[in-house]
Amino acid sequence: MTLEILLVDHKTLELQILRGADEALKQLPYTSIEKLHPLEALYLLYTGTAVLVDSVGRQYSFEDLIKAYSRINPYAWVEFEVYLDLRKRGRLPVPGPRPHSLLLRRRKREPRYTHYILVLEENRPVKLATLYSFVEEAAKNSWEPLLAIVDRYGDITYYTALVFRPGLTRLSREGDSEP
């Protein structure tokens, strides 16, 4: 049975599985699913696992969906590159709670996420407050924060992100007296 995805709304890119939910669950890191994120639909189209149709039966290609997603998300292509790279590495990414982010879990049936990934693009400015809040959010949820930076050639480099607070901790040496 071919997996069919229904494009419910062209503006918001609301996507639902029309047929083949069991096949979708084999391909995606969920135990149940109702709606699809555009990244997940792109992955299914890219791998040839699914077809995308609208309510009148018009079929859409991977290129059609990535163009539509790029109109509402300027990071669409780099997010898909990171998502695809993680899938190729055997990881189970899902769209994260903030824009341009992904969450990873070790196994499909394990509910706990282990890594929180912020997708960035080389030469696109990012506010320090964004990075700080990302790392703090990861720490509060016990996730390892990673930055996935995609360069202009499509190469992805992953960095662990940490908050460094100089002056808050003091290394004491033997014989130092506390103030």
Side-chain angles (χ1 to χ4, degrees):
M1 172 183 272
T2 302
L3 172 58
E4 272 189 54
I5 303 168
L6 176 64
L7 178 58
V8 178
D9 188 336
H10 291 271
K11 289 183 182 177
T12 63
L13 291 184
E14 183 183 340
L15 301 159
Q16 293 180 342
I17 296 174
L18 189 60
R19 261 179 282 209
D22 292 338
E23 183 60 34
L25 292 174
K26 290 178 191 173
Q27 301 293 322
L28 299 172
Y30 301 109
T31 53
S32 67
I33 191 164
E34 289 178 22
K35 292 184 179 182
L36 278 178
H37 188 277
L39 277 177
E40 296 160 332
L42 283 165
Y43 176 74
L44 294 171
L45 289 171
Y46 179 83
T47 59
T49 308
V51 294
L52 177 64
V53 296
D54 64 12
S55 58
V56 294
R58 179 175 179 249
Q59 191 166 332
Y60 294 83
S61 67
F62 171 86
E63 291 80 12
D64 295 331
L65 184 56
I66 194 76
K67 285 177 189 174
Y69 190 38
S70 295
R71 283 193 284 275
I72 61 173
N73 178 2
Y75 283 79
W77 184 253
V78 292
E79 282 180 27
F80 177 72
E81 283 185 285
V82 172
Y83 185 91
L84 182 62
D85 180 63
L86 292 167
R87 292 302 304 257
K88 285 180 177 179
R89 293 171 185 251
R91 305 291 192 256
L92 300 172
V94 296
R98 68 170 54 209
H100 323 304
S101 69
L102 298 168
L103 288 168
L104 290 181
R105 61 170 68 126
R106 293 201 192 280
R107 288 178 245 0
K108 190 173 186 171
R109 299 211 183 269
E110 187 174 311
R112 193 173 99 60
Y113 295 105
T114 57
H115 295 79
Y116 190 27
I117 302 170
L118 183 62
V119 178
L120 302 172
E121 190 173 16
E122 181 183 51
N123 294 327
R124 191 178 291 225
V126 179
K127 293 181 181 178
L128 189 55
T130 301
L131 295 175
Y132 180 79
S133 67
F134 166 76
V135 173
E136 288 295 313
E137 184 179 5
K140 287 177 187 171
N141 289 293
S142 300
W143 300 328
E144 183 178 341
L146 297 173
L147 301 177
I149 301 176
V150 182
D151 70 14
R152 64 181 172 186
Y153 303 109
D155 296 326
I156 305 164
T157 307
Y158 296 93
Y159 295 95
T160 299
L162 302 171
V163 173
F164 176 68
R165 294 185 183 105
L168 290 181
T169 59
R170 183 171 168 236
L171 296 175
S172 63
R173 292 185 216 150
E174 220 174 288
D176 279 356
S177 61
E178 292 294 321

